Amino acid sequence: MQIADLIKPDQIFLGLEAERKADLLADLAKRASGLTGVSPDAILQPLTNRESFGSTGIGRGIAIPHASIPALKRPVGLFARLEEPIDFEAIDGEPVDLVFLLLTPTAPRNQNVASLAAISRRLRDPAVLQQLRTDASPQKVYKALVG
């Protein structure tokens, strides 16, 4: 699975504002709804359920909220850079400013794992993180994400 299979430049949102994790997830669910045709509630509920098991904040200011959505036919991603970092209960306790939302169909499960692995690998690169935090346009951020 490649990141380019998950996201397009119009699925990059820079300068997003949110005060709390719950607000951010609701905003992302609404945006994802517009792309997928799945209702915001049908996206938000699984995301919230997933977060109840433990934060998807992986450290270094990054979160990868993810959930399986039965109505989806293919994996879909959104990337958001927040205007101001927020508490996401991340594993390292640091606030989050970069968020990659991943929504996957309920099957096949190996596709879900492959998608998460591709995103995680890309977001481990310090040079990529610098670009994601500083590039001014969604197109440049997209290029940094897809490599």
Side-chain angles (χ1 to χ4, degrees):
M1 177 66 57
Q2 301 293 318
I3 292 177
D5 298 328
L6 305 170
I7 195 166
K8 303 295 177 230
D10 64 345
Q11 292 162 247
I12 309 275
F13 302 97
L14 306 180
L16 222 58
E17 295 187 16
E19 291 186 23
R20 303 174 310 131
K21 178 173 32 173
D23 300 332
L24 176 62
L25 293 176
D27 184 0
L28 293 175
K30 183 177 177 184
R31 291 171 191 269
S33 174
L35 292 167
T36 63
V38 177
S39 77
D41 288 340
I43 295 170
L44 183 58
Q45 188 63 43
L47 284 173
T48 303
N49 288 346
R50 168 57 191 86
E51 287 296 322
S52 72
F53 292 111
S55 177
T56 55
I58 64 169
R60 296 177 302 158
I62 304 163
I64 310 175
H66 56 278
S68 293
I69 310 295
L72 285 183
K73 302 294 184 233
R74 65 174 188 81
V76 175
L78 293 176
F79 177 81
R81 183 173 71 205
L82 304 182
E83 186 67 31
E84 296 292 330
I86 62 169
D87 178 30
F88 212 87
E89 302 165 344
I91 193 166
D92 64 357
E94 295 296 317
V96 162
D97 64 335
L98 302 176
V99 181
F100 197 112
L101 173 71
L102 176 63
L103 304 175
T104 57
T106 53
R109 295 304 261 183
N110 63 338
Q111 187 178 52
N112 304 354
V113 173
S115 299
L116 274 172
I119 296 163
S120 295
R121 272 192 309 275
R122 190 71 183 147
L123 296 180
R124 273 192 225 128
D125 184 330
V128 170
L129 291 179
Q130 179 64 27
Q131 287 181 281
L132 296 178
R133 289 191 165 108
T134 59
D135 283 346
S137 74
Q139 291 76 17
K140 286 184 177 183
V141 169
Y142 175 77
K143 286 181 183 178
L145 276 172
V146 301

